[in-house]
Amino acid sequence: GGNDARLCSPDGSALENTSLQVGPNNGLRNVAIWLTKPRKIPDDPKWIHEEYQAKRDAVLSGKDAFDQKNCVFLSPMFAMRSTQKVELLNSDSMLHNTKIEGDPGGGASGANSGISGGGKVLYEPVGFSNQPFKVSCSIHGWMQSWMLVRPNPFFAVSDLNGGFEIAHLPAGIDMEFRVSHEGKFLGSDVTATVDGEPLTIKSGRLKLSGIEPNSVIELTFKLDAKNYE
């Protein structure tokens, strides 16, 4: 309502979705990239590094929580593992109703949580999702975010410089990744390179053949700004 709008925007500026964030060097924030093939990764130290194993059942809280402030979701693209739980925080003084759609394809739980000002509730996805799904606020219609829940730790979300890192990938196997921004898969309008060599990306899918042990590869995407005009 009008009163909430005054609290959310004291200076009267327009209240809007903030998921399109371009950094000072034209980096695009909130792009999700995740491993889709092989579909099943054994939950096994040979495959999953001890650094990931340590966080397997973590409760994501504090700066790692899913928060909202000034009627904006602070993580326009939020990613977590299906074995983890996350605190849904409300850093505003008013009531928010955080609606998590859940599912796309892997049984990730939906949720519909009224969270009073300064409050928090715990979200446990149980299942995963094959692609990001929407999070919204039933009270403030302009609030929207995306959430990705994966059954393994091989995913990342780009920062304001457009950078991301996926560490400790298993070596020597063929892999496929998907790439998405604002719920849309990036496709033929994107140029991708691996260590400077061109890579084909179709419907947000890109294939990488076996990575050498203990190697670092540089994966670069370039998007046409016309897509966002």
Side-chain angles (χ1 to χ4, degrees):
N3 193 40
D4 279 4
R6 281 196 293 279
L7 287 167
C8 297
S9 177
D11 64 357
S13 59
L15 293 160
E16 56 191 24
N17 176 16
T18 58
S19 61
L20 180 60
Q21 296 181 11
V22 179
N25 299 314
N26 291 327
L28 184 59
R29 191 182 173 200
N30 306 315
V31 175
I33 175 168
W34 66 97
L35 180 73
T36 57
K37 288 180 185 172
R39 290 189 191 283
K40 291 215 181 242
I41 297 280
D43 195 0
D44 170 337
K46 285 186 207 156
W47 278 73
I48 296 187
H49 192 272
E50 59 191 23
E51 196 179 302
Y52 286 140
Q53 292 286 15
K55 298 175 185 170
R56 182 185 183 277
D57 301 312
V59 175
L60 305 176
S61 59
K63 64 178 177 47
D64 297 321
F66 184 86
D67 199 358
Q68 48 213 315
K69 186 171 175 59
N70 298 330
C71 304
V72 170
F73 290 123
L74 300 186
S75 300
M77 178 67 244
F78 185 87
M80 66 183 293
R81 290 165 67 177
S82 55
T83 46
Q84 296 173 329
K85 302 179 182 78
V86 63
E87 289 184 347
L88 309 178
L89 306 183
N90 178 1
S91 291
D92 283 330
S93 58
M94 73 204 78
L95 175 71
H96 283 302
N97 191 87
T98 304
K99 185 178 178 186
I100 295 174
E101 287 191 3
D103 197 355
S109 304
N112 199 357
S113 307
I115 311 173
S116 55
K120 63 184 178 186
V121 300
L122 197 62
Y123 169 64
E124 183 175 3
V126 185
F128 61 92
S129 64
N130 290 319
Q131 62 194 64
F133 50 75
K134 268 187 195 170
V135 183
S136 57
C137 176
S138 306
I139 301 168
H140 308 105
W142 63 86
M143 291 176 66
Q144 182 177 294
S145 176
W146 297 89
M147 187 177 280
L148 177 71
V149 181
R150 296 300 295 149
N152 62 63
F154 303 119
F155 55 80
V157 177
S158 64
D159 60 24
L160 200 52
N161 296 316
F164 63 89
E165 179 184 25
I166 302 177
H168 312 307
L169 281 162
I173 60 166
D174 291 343
M175 292 180 276
E176 185 175 286
F177 291 83
R178 295 211 84 178
V179 190
S180 170
H181 181 257
E182 293 185 317
K184 296 187 284 285
F185 289 115
L186 305 185
S188 53
D189 47 357
V190 178
T191 309
T193 57
V194 174
D195 289 339
E197 293 295 314
L199 185 72
T200 304
I201 176 166
K202 292 179 181 173
S203 306
R205 295 179 198 275
L206 63 97
K207 294 180 179 178
L208 287 181
S209 51
I211 297 170
E212 295 290 319
N214 302 313
S215 64
V216 177
I217 63 166
E218 185 166 317
L219 180 58
T220 307
F221 300 103
K222 287 191 177 167
L223 284 75
D224 193 331
K226 288 186 185 137
N227 297 338
Y228 296 95
E229 286 172 355

